[in-house]
Amino acid sequence: MVSDTARYWRRLDDQRIQCLLCSHACILVNGARGHCNARENRAGSMILPQYAWISSIAIDPVEKKPLRRFMPNTWTYSVGFWHCTMDCPFCQNWEIAHPVRIEKDVIVPERLIELALESGCPSISFTYSEPTLHIEYVIEAMQRAHSRGLKTILVTNGNILPDPARDILLHTDATNVDLKTSDPAIYRDLLGGEIKVVQKFIQIAAELCHVEVTSLAVPGVLDSSDHIEEIAKFLASISPDIPLHITRYHPAWKFSRPPLSPETVHGMGVAAKRHLKYVYAYS
Ligand code: SF4
């Protein structure tokens, strides 16, 4: 049965509600949508105006998620939604994360899993935009995937509060989480997330499933060996076995600064390797 009932919210007074899904904890008056534009207060209840609206489907190597130590050399059926809980001005998928216009292409979870099985892929990935924003759909799809023998992958910014984090990670076999900078003020003021919330998500993920982390090397955000060492030390405090991917940003959306040099990204990889066993620096 399709379940489009919103979870993770509470009623306040005067038909106001509060969303309890991500770090924004939006308070919504009747008729308003949250910061993400994907969860709405209708007459004092939360609704999901874009439930099952799929933006993208592709078949990717699992290494593209990126995951390097989970089902290597396999393909994964990759699905994206619309919108995001964060506002990184260099978003590499801004066309679907911060869309000017969206298209209604509805695929219910049951049908999605049939399509994934027809593809022959051994796993399904929720990726491209921010899947946790569509947690009700993703959990149902993951349950259906498991019942049909598919592994489940979640590619996320991790900016989701602990209770929903546990709920979705209980159905996740592997996750790749963005850890975007070691600076709490940049996280909050420029990117629209909370570093403590993301760090907690990674801790919970390490208890419940396979976890790898991606840090995008962006000038002025994450651009030095000192920055990446702080991230590597945090991950090592959970487990030095957590793989870290350092990827090189390309100018996109509101950000036009030139990318860091390959040598800088390589140097960041060397610095992270002082603390972690598996570091992949892409330049
Ligand atoms: S998911 Fe986050 S941004 Fe969206 S309504 Fe809920 S608290 Fe606000």
Side-chain angles (χ1 to χ4, degrees):
M1 188 183 82
V2 172
S3 171
D4 60 356
T5 307
R7 297 173 62 193
Y8 311 109
W9 61 279
R10 65 182 183 131
R11 285 202 168 87
L12 303 174
D13 53 5
D14 297 330
Q15 287 200 331
R16 294 182 315 146
I17 63 173
Q18 182 172 30
C19 182
L20 303 172
L21 184 55
C22 88
S23 72
H24 291 284
C26 298
I27 293 176
L28 307 175
V29 297
N30 184 19
R33 286 196 185 175
H35 183 81
C36 58
N37 205 28
R39 303 175 79 86
E40 179 178 318
N41 178 349
R42 191 169 297 172
S45 293
M46 178 168 279
I47 63 153
L48 305 170
Q50 292 138 14
Y51 180 83
W53 292 25
I54 301 297
S55 69
S56 347
I57 289 181
I59 294 173
D60 292 332
V62 75
E63 287 80 5
K64 194 177 168 189
K65 297 302 102 190
L67 289 171
R68 289 287 284 268
R69 304 191 66 78
F70 179 80
M71 302 177 79
N73 303 313
T74 62
W75 297 85
T76 184
Y77 193 79
S78 300
V79 181
F81 302 92
W82 297 96
H83 298 302
C84 187
T85 52
M86 292 178 63
D87 312 300
C88 310
F90 44 80
C91 182
Q92 307 282 288
N93 284 324
W94 66 272
E95 292 94 338
I96 56 172
H98 304 283
V100 178
R101 184 175 60 85
I102 70 175
E103 289 164 21
K104 183 177 180 180
D105 186 3
V106 173
I107 304 178
V108 297
E110 186 176 15
R111 177 67 185 142
L112 183 77
I113 299 310
E114 290 301 331
L115 292 170
L117 287 165
E118 285 168 18
S119 77
C121 293
S123 66
I124 182 165
S125 292
F126 299 93
T127 177
Y128 303 137
S129 62
E130 180 46 50
T132 59
L133 185 50
H134 306 277
I135 186 169
E136 297 85 356
Y137 181 102
V138 173
I139 287 178
E140 180 173 349
M142 284 178 161
Q143 287 172 320
R144 289 182 179 277
H146 277 157
S147 74
R148 302 292 298 275
L150 287 172
K151 297 292 186 191
T152 59
I153 294 170
L154 182 72
V155 182
T156 175
N157 62 27
N159 190 44
I160 174 175
L161 297 175
D163 283 348
R166 276 195 188 82
D167 288 350
I168 197 166
L169 288 166
L170 277 170
H171 301 283
T172 301
D173 293 304
T175 184
N176 187 299
V177 188
D178 287 339
L179 189 49
K180 294 169 186 280
T181 176
S182 56
D183 185 322
I186 292 178
Y187 236 108
R188 185 176 48 252
D189 301 337
L190 183 68
L191 312 183
E194 285 291 338
I195 192 168
K196 291 285 181 207
V197 171
V198 180
Q199 288 175 332
K200 184 67 184 173
F201 183 90
I202 294 169
Q203 284 169 336
I204 297 169
E207 291 166 13
L208 296 177
C209 65
H210 176 83
V211 58
E212 303 193 15
V213 169
T214 296
S215 292
L216 187 66
V218 180
V221 176
L222 179 66
D223 57 6
S224 72
S225 295
D226 287 351
H227 285 164
I228 202 73
E229 273 206 80
E230 281 192 55
I231 285 175
K233 280 185 206 164
F234 164 72
L235 297 177
S237 74
I238 302 172
S239 167
D241 291 334
I242 295 178
L244 174 62
H245 304 259
I246 305 169
T247 53
R248 190 159 165 254
Y249 126 105
H250 297 283
W253 201 29
K254 301 174 183 172
F255 231 62
S256 56
R257 291 195 213 171
L260 298 169
S261 70
E263 293 74 25
T264 301
V265 176
H266 175 74
M268 291 168 71
V270 171
K273 195 87 172 75
R274 293 186 194 116
H275 308 278
L276 296 168
K277 282 189 202 159
Y278 309 109
V279 176
Y280 308 95
Y282 308 85
S283 54

